[in-house]
Amino acid sequence: MKILIKGGRVIDPAHGIDGQFDLLIDNGRISKLDKNLAADGAEVIDAQGKLVTPGLIDLHVHLRDPGQEYKEDIISGTRAAVAGGFTAVACMPNTKPVNDNASVTRYILDKAAAAGFCHVLPVGAITQGSKGEALAEMGDMKEAGCVGFSDDGHPVTSGELMRRALEYARPFGMPIIAHSEDLDLVGQGVMNEGFVATELGLKGIPWVSEAAPIARDVMLAEFTGGHLHVAHVSCAAAVEIIRAAKKRGVRVTAEVTPHHFTLTDEAVRGYDTNAKMNPPLRGAEDVAAMRAGLADGTIDAIATDHAPHHIDEKNVEFNIAYNGIVGLETALPLTLRLVDDGVLSISDAIAKLTINPARVLGLDSGTLEVGRVADVTIIDPQLKWTVDAQKLVSKSKNTPFDGWKMVGAATHTIVAGQIRYQR
Amino acid sequence: MTFRHKHILGIEQLSKEDIGFILDTADSFKEINSREIKKVPTLRGKTIINLFFEASTRTRTSFEIAGKRLSADTINITASSSSVVKGETLEDTAKNIEAMRPDIIVMRHAASGACDYLAKRVDCSIINAGDGAHEHPSQALLDMLTIRQHKGRIEGLKVAIVGDITHSRVARSNLYGLTRMGAEVRLAGPGTMMPPGIERLGAKVYHDMNQAIEGADVVMMLRIQLERQGKTLLPTLREYAKFYGLNTQNLQLAAPDALVMHPGPVNRGVELSSYVADGIQSVILDQVENGVAVRMALLYLVLGGEQAE
Ligand SMILES: [Zn+2]
Ligand SMILES: [Zn+2]
């Protein structure tokens, strides 16, 4: 089966391509990229006025499967992913049971393959049960298909264990993805520590509870030569630590979520539990630092931290509401806002969602190079739409962006040469 | 003047005029409390539910008496937060109570924002009787009534509030109210008990209590919640009392006729020495008395009462 995508603005940041080309997909792979390609029996997609980019890759999602399928499952999660333009998602291991061994990894991959929406890239646990006590079988999980390791949801409290994780993963060529949080400093905090928390009378989470463990882990990466990837950076001090480490040549990469570069803790006013997340929404100066970090390359990738929760887990007092929001279907337009705001060029914005996350995970994707698997996203950058939480494809509707007017959306999501989503 | 607030969720929502109107209304209700028959038919046939998720004999009793003096039927429900453990959510509780068709729910809850939460989900009026570390509006109003009674005004007074500002809903509500009424508010407490950005609400922040109370017209001491301080906010009660307790000596730094206030119950020898708590400058019992009048005013006004009796 062939697909010819005609007349779009093709952006492939990995090769510095930005121009009007036709793209031919044949037998699941990128076959030709050139001007005026003949249809030659291929299904033709008219991409006039649209962007044709490598398939978007989300480094950080929670599919909640196995174990919490009432929030999301691999089928609904990957359907939400393709609706948002993503052709691949890396799923965190904090499932029930935890993905800390090859059999859970295989379950995830089998179910994802059967669902057939997009590639699922399992992230294995760093430690057994994500308990922070003993290393998990990283080699075995890599063989089964894991792309990195993380105890996301829990920090690796022990410096010794973090050191060993970086050392052990290094020869396997795998990143250690850090969820950075000093739980003592977090205490009973439920939102960013600052003026808004003071007014609302909610316990604060200080930025130093995030930055201090990042500083430790950056030094451990420097010490071991391992690859540290810092998940969901949210505070200015963390960006500064990573920037300085990169200058010294430390193998550290980082991601930021769309909500952390878009919203401040002001969103919590009214005790909106859809603005409750971990790390918490920070202050305006932190949001500015996220944007500066994206602009100068300190922050490599944009990842959603898609965290579905059932309405019953959010429709409660702020203190006891669960952390997290869904993000797969709003990430692309929020990223395109950065282009409007002059933070990123369109090519850099696409890079943060394609080649950069691919590089973090050591993947063979994220580009439109001829011969590669045909993961392609076609984006209408002008399409105006309004977020309606109830209409989200994800099983859960926990978004602070309900009712937001967005510009830009994926019109086609093509995974391995198959159209998996069409708007 | 008409009172246009259906709910009393916090002082933050009230204008200077609103506060003045509530205090005037409370003043007129005070007279009822000194009659031999302390009851008027104003809210006859109305149902008030005191929904307390946190124990508080004082505030609950005060609201209960206020309701009864206005002839309302008042019912106390002490919901333990263990209902959450049993799987009943605050929303369930609210819907169940609403089905009993009360006119007002007076609510106390350990979670900041719980009263806002309820107000968005039920039809009746909600009066916040203390939510987490957020607000305690009726306490601030009775404090302001007490100050006005003794000083004849609030505007221009220097009020020092001393103690655990971070965890105090009393401090927040008083800060909003007093600054709105034109007072100068000084906050003092240990570094561990001063929340970030509080000065943006119009307060002057001190860590030396003596500086804060110097020349003050009112010294408001906050209760140290022994159970809430953990092990990290202060070393010992002994040291707290030494640096942040009010005694006959440091009280001399305040204006000679300064009022000493405390929302109660007092940890004697910690926030206040007994000499000061029982001394001539203490208006702690006036605060309690005024609490009934203020709560009568609130119950009356949220149901649309226009002029005081
Ligand atoms: Zn995390
Ligand atoms: Zn996560």
Side-chain angles (χ1 to χ4, degrees), chain A residues 60 62 92 152 232 305:
Chain A
H60 190 144
H62 296 271
M92 289 295 153
D152 189 42
H232 45 55
D305 199 359

Side-chain angles (χ1 to χ4, degrees), chain B residues 89-111:
Chain B
T89 63
L90 181 55
E91 188 179 38
D92 293 335
T93 310
K95 290 290 175 199
N96 273 289
I97 287 171
E98 197 189 16
M100 301 172 200
R101 303 236 164 261
D103 298 284
I104 303 175
I105 296 174
V106 176
M107 174 160 143
R108 150 98 34 128
H109 199 286

Side-chain angles (χ1 to χ4, degrees), chain B residues 20 23-24 27 144-154:
Chain B
L23 298 186
D24 291 345
D27 262 335
M144 287 188 275
L145 186 65
T146 308
I147 294 170
R148 203 174 76 164
Q149 204 174 77
H150 286 271
K151 295 288 179 190
R153 67 194 164 105
I154 294 173

